[in-house]
Amino acid sequence: MGKNKLKKFADMESFSHVFQTTTKEVLDGALFPLKGKWHSNFFHNNNPIVLELGCGKGEYTVGQALRNSEKNYIGVDIKGSRMWTGAKQSIENNLSNVAFVRTDIHHLPHFFDEGEIDEIWITFPDPQMKKCRKRLTSTLFLNTYRQVMKEMGVIHLKTDSNFLYTYTDALVKLNQLEVLVNTDNLYASPYGTQSPLDLKTYYEQQWLARGIDIKYLAFRLPSNTVLVEPEIDIPYDTYRSFGREGRSNLKLG
């Protein structure tokens, strides 16, 4: 392991707004002290709490927090070395409405109590075209989310993947979930200039530079309905992420 990555891991251990719990601690049922107490014991306000799942470098988490001090933002990811970037930026910007949790998304109920979360953002996840249960908008994950969300909390999906967008759109329609926004070309729609949708991550800029439209779907999630998977054949996405050399040749905004 490189020295730079080791330093990042050491930093993460010292950051007071970063929380890391081992899988063993979760499975053993160890009490997470902030569960049900994020408002009172960490953020010290009653503002809505917004999660970004698979936050990577935390670009959306930090970007939203910089723009809106009236909400609290928590980035969740399993990759600590990536999360370090957002954690460091939030310190440099003196943000008191940001936290990061390093964990598997399946373990959200270990960290958050029922009704504690107002919104969830899922930004450019792996579409998992071959494994439905791994899709972050599958019924399996939606049932996990509603263990921690308020009744009719909002799920935001922002994606380059036509496969994942089509799948999620079909699931939402089949289960008659309340749709707030649905567009298969965000930046050609009126919503593309609105905050925070106009925030563009590094990887999002790559998709746009390649001429790939960004899709966005926002819907409300009820707490007690039985969710059903759609039976639908969807063409696979035909493109792949570029390697380092391919990325370097793109002209990003």
Side-chain angles (χ1 to χ4, degrees), residues 190-243:
Y191 305 103
T193 58
Q194 297 178 12
S195 181
L197 289 169
D198 60 334
L199 281 170
K200 296 182 179 70
T201 67
Y202 174 73
Y203 284 100
E204 179 177 0
Q205 292 181 61
Q206 292 181 36
W207 303 130
L208 290 168
R210 293 171 65 181
I212 298 170
D213 295 333
I214 304 303
K215 296 84 176 166
Y216 172 67
L217 181 56
F219 58 94
R220 294 192 181 277
L221 186 62
S223 62
N224 56 5
T225 58
V226 176
L227 298 175
V228 180
E229 285 288 340
E231 295 183 6
I232 180 174
D233 291 324
I234 308 171
Y236 282 6
D237 299 329
T238 57
Y239 61 91
R240 299 174 63 106
S241 300
F242 281 162

Side-chain angles (χ1 to χ4, degrees), residues 86-148:
K88 186 74 171 175
Q89 289 175 343
S90 58
I91 292 174
E92 292 169 349
N93 285 281
N94 297 312
L95 294 174
S96 60
N97 60 332
V98 174
F100 290 90
V101 173
R102 185 184 178 190
T103 190
D104 188 288
I105 292 171
H106 289 290
H107 298 155
L108 289 179
H110 176 78
F111 296 90
F112 305 102
D113 210 350
E114 181 179 353
E116 199 163 22
I117 304 303
D118 293 79
E119 301 176 47
I120 286 178
W121 282 82
I122 305 169
T123 51
F124 302 95
D126 186 329
Q128 298 290 348
M129 292 182 283
K130 295 182 179 180
K131 298 179 180 179
C132 175
R133 290 174 62 84
K134 290 190 175 184
R135 296 172 200 157
L136 293 188
T137 54
S138 70
T139 57
L140 176 67
F141 277 100
L142 292 180
N143 284 327
T144 297
Y145 306 155
R146 58 188 184 178
Q147 292 181 57
V148 303

